[in-house]
Amino acid sequence: MRTIYEAAGAESGVLRLADAWHARVMEDEIVSHAFSHGFNPAHTERLAAYWAQAWGGPAEFSEKYGDESAVVRMHSGEGVHEEMDRRAIDCFDQALVDAGLGDDKQLCRVLHDYFAWTTTVTMARYPFDRSEVPDGLTIPRWSWDGLVPE
């Protein structure tokens, strides 16, 4: 069975999706606020590597950029932001179409479910104090059936 990573077009497809999502959020008046303090110039490459690893692709993110704890810390300590989360998810759904993945309804459903889950659960787990994020977290893996148990 193909992985989500393979179905999304492997490295080039996931990078296209990361580029499309980043473009969408930068145009959104609410979500772009998350990037107002600046961001790594390689943001889309790092994001694509993170998604690739989560979706059954290579472990490039963990090998080159860090672990889940670092990612969660980056998204923590900014308070609860439900509207921003909803809009980021909407941007993701639109980016699926922008990246040429919109015709595969099963893939879109699985990727939407992943992005909505990680946005509202893993990245929102420590809204007030990033120092509460434990060391050693691993990137959650996602399959066609949802979260892969560790």
Side-chain angles (χ1 to χ4, degrees), residues 38-117:
F39 54 90
N40 188 304
H43 176 259
T44 55
E45 292 83 3
R46 292 167 60 100
L47 178 60
Y50 180 84
W51 285 345
Q53 188 168 334
W55 301 340
E60 179 183 355
F61 186 89
S62 293
E63 294 167 0
K64 289 172 83 172
Y65 302 116
D67 65 5
E68 179 73 357
S69 295
V71 175
V72 174
R73 277 189 198 102
M74 186 183 346
H75 292 88
S76 297
E78 300 294 329
V80 176
H81 38 71
E82 292 174 354
E83 180 182 6
M84 182 183 293
D85 293 346
R86 276 192 307 277
R87 291 172 75 126
I89 295 164
D90 289 344
C91 288
F92 184 81
D93 291 342
Q94 294 166 347
L96 289 167
V97 174
D98 297 344
L101 301 173
D103 291 339
D104 186 333
K105 299 306 177 200
Q106 181 185 19
L107 178 63
C108 287
R109 180 192 53 76
V110 167
L111 292 178
H112 166 89
D113 290 349
Y114 163 81
F115 191 83
W117 174 81

Side-chain angles (χ1 to χ4, degrees), residues 115-143:
F115 191 83
W117 174 81
T118 198
T119 299
T120 61
V121 176
T122 61
M123 299 304 155
R125 189 169 286 149
Y126 304 95
F128 303 110
D129 186 356
R130 66 183 47 152
S131 70
E132 293 179 355
V133 178
D135 291 333
L137 296 175
T138 58
I139 294 173
R141 303 288 300 238
W142 202 260
S143 76

